[in-house]
Amino acid sequence: MDKLKRRVLEYLAVRQLKTSLKGPILCFVGPPGVGKTSVGRSIARTLGREFHRIALGGVCDQSDIRGHRRTYVGSMPGRIINGLKTVGVNNPVFLLDEVDKLGKSLQGDPAAALLESLITLN
């Protein structure tokens, strides 16, 4: 955890010096229970922004991430848009949890939809 904390402090220092950074993506990897979510909450509190955690475990449909097309009667927004609505602000800190547990089915690859969404948002 010391290496992670040092790296996060470096990121916050660079962000303080250069305010034009657009949507950086930090990736925390480790076994369950080591404090990845707590570090994400601490970063959000330090930046003065809201925090939202999205659990992606078991997601096997790309429309679950991207959202359904608006032409359907029961169309639902995707997880990212739903998170923005839940938090109520435009610029929260998102934690995409359990990315390694994304599934794959006939409805498409949710990992590809997630990558496309992250590229679009960044």
Side-chain angles (χ1 to χ4, degrees), residues 44-122:
R45 190 175 34 237
T46 302
L47 294 174
R49 291 165 46 189
E50 295 291 323
F51 176 79
H52 187 69
R53 176 183 170 268
I54 299 174
L56 296 174
V59 173
C60 58
D61 190 7
Q62 69 179 0
S63 62
D64 211 9
I65 293 174
R66 208 181 265 154
H68 295 98
R69 294 179 188 267
R70 301 276 307 230
T71 56
Y72 297 126
V73 174
S75 65
M76 299 286 292
R79 298 249 178 144
I80 296 173
I81 300 297
N82 210 4
L84 286 172
K85 283 173 49 178
T86 302
V87 174
V89 295
N90 283 341
N91 198 13
V93 173
F94 275 113
L95 175 71
L96 303 175
D97 202 7
E98 301 174 352
V99 176
D100 58 330
K101 296 182 180 108
L102 280 171
K104 194 172 184 180
S105 71
L106 297 174
Q107 283 83 18
D109 186 14
L114 179 64
L115 180 63
E116 184 180 323
S117 299
L118 290 176
I119 289 172
T120 304
L121 290 175
N122 200 1

